[in-house]
Amino acid sequence: MRLFSTILLLSAAVTATALAQGVTSPFTVAESGRSYATLGDAIKAIGNGRGTVLVAPGSYAQCAVQQGGDVTIRAQKPGTAILDGVACEQKAALVLRGRSSTVDGLIFQNLRVPDGNGAGIRLESGNLTVSNSLFRNSEEGILTGDAPGNSISIDKSTFRRLGRCDRDLACAHGIYVGRYGSLTVTRSRFDQGDGGHYLKTRTPRVTITDNSFDDSAGRLTNYMIDLSNGASGTISGNEMVQGRDKDNYSAFITVAPEGREQDSANLSIVNNRASFVPGLQRNSSFVANFTGDAVKIGPNRLAGGIKITDRR
């Protein structure tokens, strides 16, 4: 299922590149039927209300800022609408600070900015739902601020060739979620990381299930899942493969490596699979616990050389 959805997105992306830059008004607000030449204008037309922007197939050197309202941005055909290489406010292709935002079927690529945090999506406030989307060849996929009263949900999406730890700047990651209320990541794929963690979050509640973390082609990467300040919730049904080229191979999952802010005694890590790429032999820990909290671990399927947990 995950492999099929990834292939579908990549195939559609190739088709999109050959299509519509000739569409003069490719961004349509579904509720009004009005079309706009830029994504930013379409989102402004919704303003503080509620609406859906439908994006025609094509590759767009554009970015947009949402200042309010409840906005859905949806590709007319999943995987055919690409936001390529342009970051608003030197942050991201989409800078979101409304009440809620939904992104469905888009591709974000080639995002780089001077501070090293060029992202497909920079979320600054409100709830966020992402589905059927692809984030690739950028410094970050999704980066957020803090909003303890809000939630983030990511489903059926791919995060590829993201992250960095160079230029004497703080590291960037595939996904980096700040102090939001909760994070749910399901049926998604993370692969070919370029540094940092694949998934880093400071949320007090997590649901991370049925995902693939394939580090076999990663480069100078760190952890698969970093719960920076601890969390409750569930990590289950994930498949994790650790590659050779690691900046830090000491653990697959970490609990509160940057200080305990949440109790992790109600965190359950169960029914996951973890291994190394074929031919690689080394020692690592599946869960590195930097707290005294009794995290519930197991059963999980771990390859030889992977210790279930250690206290750090």
Side-chain angles (χ1 to χ4, degrees):
M1 176 70 75
R2 288 192 295 267
L3 179 60
F4 175 77
S5 61
T6 300
I7 291 172
L8 182 63
L9 275 171
L10 291 173
S11 174
V14 171
T15 303
T17 304
L19 294 175
Q21 275 294 359
V23 177
T24 56
S25 300
F27 305 100
T28 302
V29 176
E31 291 75 11
S32 68
R34 291 191 60 184
S35 295
Y36 301 83
T38 72
L39 179 58
D41 285 343
I43 291 174
K44 284 179 185 177
I46 296 170
N48 204 40
R50 180 184 297 272
T52 298
V53 179
L54 300 176
V55 185
S59 182
Y60 305 101
Q62 294 190 26
C63 61
V65 179
Q66 176 200 12
Q67 298 287 8
D70 302 276
V71 173
T72 295
I73 306 168
R74 176 175 292 130
Q76 290 181 0
K77 182 179 179 182
T80 65
I82 304 171
L83 296 182
D84 189 1
V86 177
C88 284
E89 301 178 351
Q90 294 192 342
K91 294 178 181 177
L94 292 179
V95 180
L96 306 175
R97 52 176 77 107
R99 288 189 301 270
S100 71
S101 314
T102 297
V103 175
D104 185 7
L106 269 65
I107 295 174
F108 302 84
Q109 64 185 32
N110 303 325
L111 279 308
R112 292 172 179 81
V113 297
D115 72 0
N117 286 306
I121 295 174
R122 175 77 72 93
L123 178 65
E124 298 187 351
S125 65
N127 299 317
L128 174 65
T129 300
V130 176
S131 60
N132 303 307
S133 294
L134 170 62
F135 300 78
R136 65 184 177 192
N137 302 341
S138 300
E139 291 165 328
E140 309 233 24
I142 299 172
L143 173 62
T144 87
D146 299 336
N150 293 114
S151 63
I152 298 168
S153 178
I154 300 165
D155 184 46
K156 291 184 179 178
S157 294
T158 297
F159 298 82
R160 174 165 297 150
R161 292 193 294 274
L162 303 169
R164 42 141 297 279
C165 281
D166 58 0
R167 293 180 286 167
D168 295 322
L169 299 170
C171 291
H173 313 282
I175 294 176
Y176 183 4
V177 175
R179 291 173 176 85
Y180 256 68
S182 65
L183 170 66
T184 298
V185 183
T186 54
R187 300 181 293 179
S188 294
R189 180 174 176 84
F190 299 78
D191 61 23
Q192 302 177 48
D194 281 332
H197 310 310
Y198 283 93
L199 171 55
K200 177 183 175 77
T201 179
R202 300 184 187 277
T203 55
R205 296 185 304 280
V206 298
T207 301
I208 304 171
T209 59
D210 301 320
N211 303 289
S212 171
F213 295 83
D214 183 359
D215 186 45
S216 56
R219 186 176 64 87
L220 295 175
T221 54
N222 285 281
Y223 308 130
M224 307 291 189
I225 300 172
D226 176 46
L227 308 179
S228 302
N229 304 116
S232 63
T234 301
I235 299 175
S236 69
N238 302 287
E239 184 165 351
M240 304 179 185
V241 179
Q242 191 183 95
R244 296 177 181 277
D245 189 356
K246 304 288 291 181
D247 184 56
N248 185 343
Y249 59 79
S250 66
F252 286 69
I253 300 169
T254 59
V255 179
E258 297 181 31
R260 181 185 182 276
E261 295 182 9
Q262 286 87 223
D263 185 353
S264 300
N266 289 318
L267 175 64
S268 174
I269 304 176
V270 62
N271 296 329
N272 302 281
R273 296 179 62 182
S275 63
F276 303 117
V277 292
L280 177 63
Q281 295 184 343
R282 64 160 61 122
N283 294 316
S284 183
S285 290
F286 184 51
V287 179
N289 188 351
F290 290 75
T291 76
D293 300 336
V295 175
K296 301 175 178 66
I297 304 173
N300 296 279
R301 294 181 62 183
L302 307 181
I306 303 176
K307 185 178 179 181
I308 295 173
T309 187
D310 68 83
R311 172 73 168 88
R312 299 189 182 180

mmCIF file of all heavy atoms in Angstrom, residues 225-231 253-258 264 267 269 287-291 293 295:
data_model
loop_
_atom_site.group_PDB
_atom_site.id
_atom_site.type_symbol
_atom_site.label_atom_id
_atom_site.label_comp_id
_atom_site.label_asym_id
_atom_site.label_seq_id
_atom_site.Cartn_x
_atom_site.Cartn_y
_atom_site.Cartn_z
ATOM 1 N N ILE A 225 12.665 8.419 15.060
ATOM 2 C CA ILE A 225 11.642 9.177 15.789
ATOM 3 C C ILE A 225 12.282 9.766 17.030
ATOM 4 O O ILE A 225 12.841 9.035 17.859
ATOM 5 C CB ILE A 225 10.455 8.278 16.192
ATOM 6 C CG1 ILE A 225 9.785 7.673 14.954
ATOM 7 C CG2 ILE A 225 9.439 9.074 17.016
ATOM 8 C CD1 ILE A 225 8.736 6.620 15.269
ATOM 9 N N ASP A 226 12.193 11.069 17.159
ATOM 10 C CA ASP A 226 12.754 11.777 18.308
ATOM 11 C C ASP A 226 11.625 12.468 19.055
ATOM 12 O O ASP A 226 11.077 13.467 18.573
ATOM 13 C CB ASP A 226 13.791 12.800 17.835
ATOM 14 C CG ASP A 226 14.340 13.642 18.978
ATOM 15 O OD1 ASP A 226 14.676 13.064 20.019
ATOM 16 O OD2 ASP A 226 14.418 14.874 18.829
ATOM 17 N N LEU A 227 11.246 11.932 20.213
ATOM 18 C CA LEU A 227 10.262 12.577 21.089
ATOM 19 C C LEU A 227 11.056 13.474 22.036
ATOM 20 O O LEU A 227 11.416 13.078 23.147
ATOM 21 C CB LEU A 227 9.458 11.525 21.850
ATOM 22 C CG LEU A 227 8.802 10.424 21.005
ATOM 23 C CD1 LEU A 227 8.066 9.430 21.903
ATOM 24 C CD2 LEU A 227 7.855 11.020 19.969
ATOM 25 N N SER A 228 11.325 14.674 21.588
ATOM 26 C CA SER A 228 12.362 15.510 22.209
ATOM 27 C C SER A 228 12.165 15.745 23.691
ATOM 28 O O SER A 228 13.136 15.817 24.450
ATOM 29 C CB SER A 228 12.432 16.861 21.486
ATOM 30 O OG SER A 228 12.706 16.679 20.127
ATOM 31 N N ASN A 229 10.901 15.878 24.133
ATOM 32 C CA ASN A 229 10.625 16.183 25.538
ATOM 33 C C ASN A 229 9.714 15.148 26.186
ATOM 34 O O ASN A 229 9.089 15.420 27.202
ATOM 35 C CB ASN A 229 10.000 17.574 25.653
ATOM 36 C CG ASN A 229 10.869 18.648 25.030
ATOM 37 O OD1 ASN A 229 10.487 19.283 24.050
ATOM 38 N ND2 ASN A 229 12.066 18.843 25.568
ATOM 39 N N GLY A 230 9.641 13.960 25.576
ATOM 40 C CA GLY A 230 8.763 12.914 26.084
ATOM 41 C C GLY A 230 7.357 13.063 25.543
ATOM 42 O O GLY A 230 6.982 14.114 25.018
ATOM 43 N N ALA A 231 6.560 11.992 25.660
ATOM 44 C CA ALA A 231 5.183 12.022 25.144
ATOM 45 C C ALA A 231 4.435 10.797 25.635
ATOM 46 O O ALA A 231 5.022 9.760 25.961
ATOM 47 C CB ALA A 231 5.177 12.050 23.620
ATOM 48 N N ILE A 253 14.618 5.177 18.289
ATOM 49 C CA ILE A 253 13.612 6.061 18.893
ATOM 50 C C ILE A 253 14.207 6.627 20.173
ATOM 51 O O ILE A 253 14.847 5.897 20.947
ATOM 52 C CB ILE A 253 12.324 5.284 19.231
ATOM 53 C CG1 ILE A 253 11.701 4.669 17.972
ATOM 54 C CG2 ILE A 253 11.312 6.182 19.933
ATOM 55 C CD1 ILE A 253 10.584 3.671 18.255
ATOM 56 N N THR A 254 14.006 7.914 20.416
ATOM 57 C CA THR A 254 14.453 8.516 21.673
ATOM 58 C C THR A 254 13.285 9.124 22.430
ATOM 59 O O THR A 254 12.330 9.633 21.831
ATOM 60 C CB THR A 254 15.509 9.613 21.434
ATOM 61 O OG1 THR A 254 14.951 10.636 20.595
ATOM 62 C CG2 THR A 254 16.749 9.039 20.785
ATOM 63 N N VAL A 255 13.374 9.080 23.745
ATOM 64 C CA VAL A 255 12.360 9.644 24.629
ATOM 65 C C VAL A 255 13.018 10.710 25.502
ATOM 66 O O VAL A 255 13.875 10.404 26.329
ATOM 67 C CB VAL A 255 11.710 8.556 25.507
ATOM 68 C CG1 VAL A 255 10.676 9.174 26.447
ATOM 69 C CG2 VAL A 255 11.061 7.478 24.643
ATOM 70 N N ALA A 256 12.664 11.959 25.260
ATOM 71 C CA ALA A 256 13.102 13.118 26.054
ATOM 72 C C ALA A 256 14.606 13.347 26.076
ATOM 73 O O ALA A 256 15.188 13.631 27.131
ATOM 74 C CB ALA A 256 12.559 13.024 27.473
ATOM 75 N N PRO A 257 15.292 13.299 24.928
ATOM 76 C CA PRO A 257 16.729 13.581 24.933
ATOM 77 C C PRO A 257 17.055 15.049 25.198
ATOM 78 O O PRO A 257 18.202 15.371 25.531
ATOM 79 C CB PRO A 257 17.167 13.174 23.522
ATOM 80 C CG PRO A 257 15.951 13.364 22.684
ATOM 81 C CD PRO A 257 14.810 12.972 23.567
ATOM 82 N N GLU A 258 16.043 15.932 25.075
ATOM 83 C CA GLU A 258 16.284 17.364 25.295
ATOM 84 C C GLU A 258 15.590 17.867 26.556
ATOM 85 O O GLU A 258 15.335 19.060 26.699
ATOM 86 C CB GLU A 258 15.834 18.159 24.063
ATOM 87 C CG GLU A 258 16.636 17.806 22.818
ATOM 88 C CD GLU A 258 16.211 18.604 21.599
ATOM 89 O OE1 GLU A 258 15.767 19.761 21.754
ATOM 90 O OE2 GLU A 258 16.327 18.073 20.481
ATOM 91 N N SER A 264 6.098 10.118 30.199
ATOM 92 C CA SER A 264 6.048 9.132 29.117
ATOM 93 C C SER A 264 5.636 7.746 29.598
ATOM 94 O O SER A 264 5.769 6.763 28.863
ATOM 95 C CB SER A 264 7.416 9.062 28.424
ATOM 96 O OG SER A 264 7.766 10.312 27.875
ATOM 97 N N LEU A 267 3.258 5.989 27.297
ATOM 98 C CA LEU A 267 3.698 5.798 25.914
ATOM 99 C C LEU A 267 3.854 4.305 25.655
ATOM 100 O O LEU A 267 4.558 3.603 26.385
ATOM 101 C CB LEU A 267 5.038 6.506 25.684
ATOM 102 C CG LEU A 267 5.687 6.308 24.307
ATOM 103 C CD1 LEU A 267 4.823 6.913 23.204
ATOM 104 C CD2 LEU A 267 7.093 6.923 24.282
ATOM 105 N N ILE A 269 5.048 1.462 22.869
ATOM 106 C CA ILE A 269 5.825 1.206 21.655
ATOM 107 C C ILE A 269 5.754 -0.293 21.395
ATOM 108 O O ILE A 269 6.422 -1.089 22.063
ATOM 109 C CB ILE A 269 7.277 1.693 21.813
ATOM 110 C CG1 ILE A 269 7.304 3.182 22.182
ATOM 111 C CG2 ILE A 269 8.066 1.444 20.538
ATOM 112 C CD1 ILE A 269 8.692 3.735 22.463
ATOM 113 N N VAL A 287 14.922 1.748 21.706
ATOM 114 C CA VAL A 287 14.400 2.924 22.420
ATOM 115 C C VAL A 287 15.449 3.405 23.410
ATOM 116 O O VAL A 287 15.842 2.666 24.319
ATOM 117 C CB VAL A 287 13.090 2.602 23.169
ATOM 118 C CG1 VAL A 287 12.593 3.845 23.910
ATOM 119 C CG2 VAL A 287 12.025 2.080 22.212
ATOM 120 N N ALA A 288 15.906 4.629 23.239
ATOM 121 C CA ALA A 288 16.791 5.271 24.208
ATOM 122 C C ALA A 288 15.932 6.174 25.085
ATOM 123 O O ALA A 288 15.358 7.149 24.603
ATOM 124 C CB ALA A 288 17.869 6.076 23.500
ATOM 125 N N ASN A 289 15.830 5.833 26.365
ATOM 126 C CA ASN A 289 14.968 6.542 27.302
ATOM 127 C C ASN A 289 15.816 7.433 28.203
ATOM 128 O O ASN A 289 16.614 6.931 28.997
ATOM 129 C CB ASN A 289 14.172 5.529 28.122
ATOM 130 C CG ASN A 289 13.096 6.179 28.987
ATOM 131 O OD1 ASN A 289 13.043 7.391 29.114
ATOM 132 N ND2 ASN A 289 12.254 5.350 29.574
ATOM 133 N N PHE A 290 15.651 8.742 28.067
ATOM 134 C CA PHE A 290 16.428 9.698 28.845
ATOM 135 C C PHE A 290 15.697 10.096 30.135
ATOM 136 O O PHE A 290 16.054 11.083 30.767
ATOM 137 C CB PHE A 290 16.712 10.937 28.009
ATOM 138 C CG PHE A 290 17.692 10.707 26.884
ATOM 139 C CD1 PHE A 290 17.311 10.026 25.734
ATOM 140 C CD2 PHE A 290 18.998 11.171 26.969
ATOM 141 C CE1 PHE A 290 18.198 9.821 24.690
ATOM 142 C CE2 PHE A 290 19.899 10.965 25.933
ATOM 143 C CZ PHE A 290 19.499 10.288 24.786
ATOM 144 N N THR A 291 14.654 9.340 30.515
ATOM 145 C CA THR A 291 13.873 9.640 31.711
ATOM 146 C C THR A 291 13.811 8.399 32.596
ATOM 147 O O THR A 291 14.241 7.308 32.209
ATOM 148 C CB THR A 291 12.422 10.039 31.357
ATOM 149 O OG1 THR A 291 11.674 8.864 31.018
ATOM 150 C CG2 THR A 291 12.393 10.996 30.186
ATOM 151 N N ASP A 293 10.814 7.380 33.391
ATOM 152 C CA ASP A 293 9.448 6.917 33.121
ATOM 153 C C ASP A 293 9.452 5.498 32.565
ATOM 154 O O ASP A 293 10.293 5.148 31.729
ATOM 155 C CB ASP A 293 8.753 7.852 32.122
ATOM 156 C CG ASP A 293 8.646 9.279 32.635
ATOM 157 O OD1 ASP A 293 8.673 9.468 33.861
ATOM 158 O OD2 ASP A 293 8.539 10.201 31.795
ATOM 159 N N VAL A 295 8.317 3.523 30.186
ATOM 160 C CA VAL A 295 7.693 3.427 28.865
ATOM 161 C C VAL A 295 7.323 1.973 28.590
ATOM 162 O O VAL A 295 8.095 1.043 28.886
ATOM 163 C CB VAL A 295 8.672 3.945 27.783
ATOM 164 C CG1 VAL A 295 8.085 3.749 26.391
ATOM 165 C CG2 VAL A 295 8.998 5.411 28.035
#
